[in-house]
Amino acid sequence: MPGTGAERCATKEDYVLSFTTDAAGAAEHGVLAMTPPNGATSESQLDRILTSLDDDKAENVVQIDLRGKSAMADYMVICSGRSSRQVAAISEKLADKLKQEFGILSKIEGKESGDWVLIDTGDVIVHVFRPEVREFYQLEKMWLPAGQAAASADS
């Protein structure tokens, strides 16, 4: 006889984390996995990310300094690709370059749909959008100072 809805929806991963792994230890392990082994700084990561985005023809690249504003990362980069295919390709190449050059295993979300891909390197968060999706969410307005957000939108 099938169990309740909550039990039927639980996956093997849920049970492993819930019953055999200390959540704090798992979180700490995840943080360590994202720390670059060769001590790459957030600035060197940002420079490499911006170069990669330029090489792959990303459009309307905006970088946001999060130091002192948020503990989640030092920088955020927002850019656009012309199509879902280009968005996915930009994201995949960026993650590969960061892995090869810095040993960073980036967390990637949204690559399958190609509308909005988030790449989390630990120190730098990169958002790659299709233009329509970027216009809808307007992340720059949330993170940039008011005058700078208006200037970025005009360029």
Side-chain angles (χ1 to χ4, degrees):
M1 175 129 207
T4 65
E7 288 181 22
R8 279 183 290 166
C9 293
T11 65
K12 180 180 177 185
E13 182 178 298
D14 293 331
Y15 289 118
V16 170
L17 181 60
S18 300
F19 298 123
T20 62
T21 305
D22 174 39
E28 183 177 314
H29 177 71
V31 171
L32 292 175
M34 291 184 68
T35 303
N38 61 1
T41 65
S42 57
E43 288 77 16
S44 63
Q45 290 177 44
L46 177 64
D47 288 342
R48 186 61 187 111
I49 288 167
L50 295 174
T51 301
S52 177
L53 295 175
D54 186 52
D55 291 347
D56 293 331
K57 308 292 188 243
E59 299 176 344
N60 302 319
V61 178
V62 175
Q63 75 180 53
I64 302 167
D65 189 344
L66 298 178
R67 294 173 297 180
K69 295 179 188 174
S70 174
M72 71 179 170
D74 290 340
Y75 296 98
M76 181 183 297
V77 176
I78 303 171
C79 66
S80 299
R82 293 182 300 278
S83 65
S84 295
R85 185 178 297 229
Q86 186 187 22
V87 167
I90 287 170
S91 305
E92 190 171 322
K93 286 181 181 180
L94 176 59
D96 287 344
K97 288 175 185 176
L98 291 171
K99 182 178 179 182
Q100 290 173 0
E101 293 181 25
F102 295 114
I104 298 172
L105 300 176
S106 304
K107 308 277 191 218
I108 301 176
E109 296 290 332
K111 192 174 75 167
E112 297 77 27
S113 69
D115 289 333
W116 174 5
V117 180
L118 176 118
I119 304 150
D120 184 355
T121 71
D123 289 336
V124 182
I125 297 173
V126 182
H127 298 272
V128 186
F129 288 99
R130 276 190 317 104
E132 303 82 26
V133 179
R134 183 176 180 176
E135 179 63 30
F136 180 80
Y137 287 103
Q138 299 183 9
L139 286 184
E140 292 96 331
K141 284 189 176 183
M142 281 193 277
W143 290 99
L144 285 173
Q148 195 174 355
S152 295
D154 293 337
S155 53

